[in-house]
Amino acid sequence: MMGYGFDMFGLGSIWMILFWVVIIGLIVWGVTRIVRANSKSSTNIPPSSGQPSALDILKQRYARGEISKDQFEEMRRDLSA
């Protein structure tokens, strides 16, 4: 009877260790996926996202009438080049 209990304890502890290794592995895998997704999406954001871009400023100046259509088109071409 002692041998039977020992074998079950040994087998049970192997399954328990395997269970926790799988759980911890899934957690690590999930965290790395989230971190990589966030790092990829953050590279697309311009560093000064709180400020308007040069093209936005140019559009505002044109809308206020500070520059003519020809000036706007020329400056827009310069910015896109």
Side-chain angles (χ1 to χ4, degrees):
M1 188 102 170
M2 288 291 195
Y4 178 76
F6 180 73
D7 288 338
M8 289 303 290
F9 177 74
L11 186 60
S13 61
I14 289 173
W15 284 112
M16 181 63 80
I17 291 170
L18 184 61
F19 171 78
W20 285 111
V21 166
V22 169
I23 294 297
I24 292 170
L26 286 172
I27 291 171
V28 168
W29 176 78
V31 168
T32 56
R33 296 266 306 185
I34 291 170
V35 168
R36 286 182 183 167
N38 287 340
S39 67
K40 286 180 183 177
S41 66
S42 67
T43 57
N44 296 335
I45 299 171
S48 59
S49 60
Q51 299 177 349
S53 68
L55 186 58
D56 291 336
I57 295 170
L58 184 62
K59 288 177 182 178
Q60 290 172 0
R61 289 185 62 199
Y62 178 65
R64 287 191 297 253
E66 295 177 6
I67 57 176
S68 67
K69 182 174 178 144
D70 293 333
Q71 291 172 320
F72 172 78
E73 292 297 328
E74 182 181 344
M75 290 179 186
R76 186 179 58 80
R77 280 192 302 270
D78 289 343
L79 287 175
S80 64

